[in-house]
Amino acid sequence: MQNISEIEELIKLISKLPGLGPKSAKRIVLKLINNRDELVKPMASTLAQVYKNVTRCNSCGSLKSNLNGCINCDSSKERYTKICVVEDIADQWSIENSNIFHGYFHILGGTISSVGQRKEDLLINSLVERVNREGIEEVILATSATVEGQTTAYYIQDSLKSTNTKITKLAQGLPVGGEIENLDDGTLFSAFKNRSNLNFNSD
């Protein structure tokens, strides 16, 4: 391969993306180079706009545009009484695509036991504030069925005790060790439909 520093650097960057290695990155780079006007130029412009304008909302954790605000938090169009709590944005997208849940989302940004994550790093305090501010009637804990996910769910449950809000968690259909973003629509539907009440669960 030709020793061109710009290409080598681009291959290194692309190979860092999920599911891509050096071979896949090389094929992508060649595709981009061979279609520089159709792909590279508009992609560079779009990436610059994303870098400039798209950030995480400090309140709900979802992505927002600095130009239009946070659609997830916007209550001017439709009011909801439920919040679905997930670990990351990929989980939110999976549930949205399934069209199972209609309500607000709250994205924690990880789990308590994740590497480099502390309780203080997660948006748990802002969740409590949203529940009180929005008059939320039910909080659905849609964390993964992993040790870290369940530990986080228990901590959130404890943090919401003073709100007297109904707290439920995804139940039947959610496999042990399963991550939300990897579940099919049927499994998600079953998990939401059969969610269990945690308010009176002493376990």
Side-chain angles (χ1 to χ4, degrees), residues 8 10 34 52 84 90 128 134 141-142 149 160 165 167 188:
E8 290 182 350
L10 185 57
N34 290 331
K52 178 181 178 181
C84 181
V128 178
E134 302 292 340
L141 301 179
L160 291 171
T165 302
I167 305 171
L188 277 172

Side-chain angles (χ1 to χ4, degrees), residues 126-189:
S126 66
L127 171 62
V128 178
E129 293 173 1
R130 290 185 71 196
V131 168
N132 290 323
R133 182 176 67 248
E134 302 292 340
I136 297 300
E137 297 175 2
E138 181 182 1
V139 174
I140 303 171
L141 301 179
T143 54
S144 298
T146 60
V147 173
E148 293 84 359
Q150 295 307 300
T151 299
T152 304
Y154 287 133
Y155 182 81
I156 294 173
Q157 180 185 355
D158 186 66
S159 299
L160 291 171
K161 279 183 178 179
S162 62
T163 65
N164 295 318
T165 302
K166 180 180 180 181
I167 305 171
T168 60
K169 66 176 179 179
L170 300 192
Q172 183 179 338
L174 189 61
V176 175
E179 297 184 350
I180 299 297
E181 65 176 295
N182 297 325
L183 301 181
D184 59 85
D185 289 355
T187 302
L188 277 172
F189 178 81

Side-chain angles (χ1 to χ4, degrees), residues 3-71:
N3 186 20
I4 302 176
S5 60
E6 291 89 347
I7 293 178
E8 290 182 350
E9 183 63 25
L10 185 57
I11 290 172
K12 288 180 182 178
L13 290 172
I14 292 177
S15 64
K16 293 180 180 180
L17 297 174
L20 296 179
K23 289 184 178 180
S24 298
K26 289 177 183 178
R27 289 195 294 269
I28 291 172
V29 168
L30 285 175
K31 179 69 174 180
L32 291 172
I33 291 174
N34 290 331
N35 297 271
R36 54 197 310 141
D37 291 331
E38 296 85 0
L39 294 176
V40 176
K41 190 173 182 179
M43 184 179 293
S45 175
T46 301
L47 286 173
Q49 291 300 314
V50 169
Y51 181 80
K52 178 181 178 181
N53 297 321
V54 178
T55 58
R56 280 192 71 200
C57 176
N58 292 328
S59 178
C60 72
S62 186
L63 293 178
K64 70 170 185 175
S65 169
N66 293 333
L67 302 177
N68 302 319
C70 181
I71 297 176

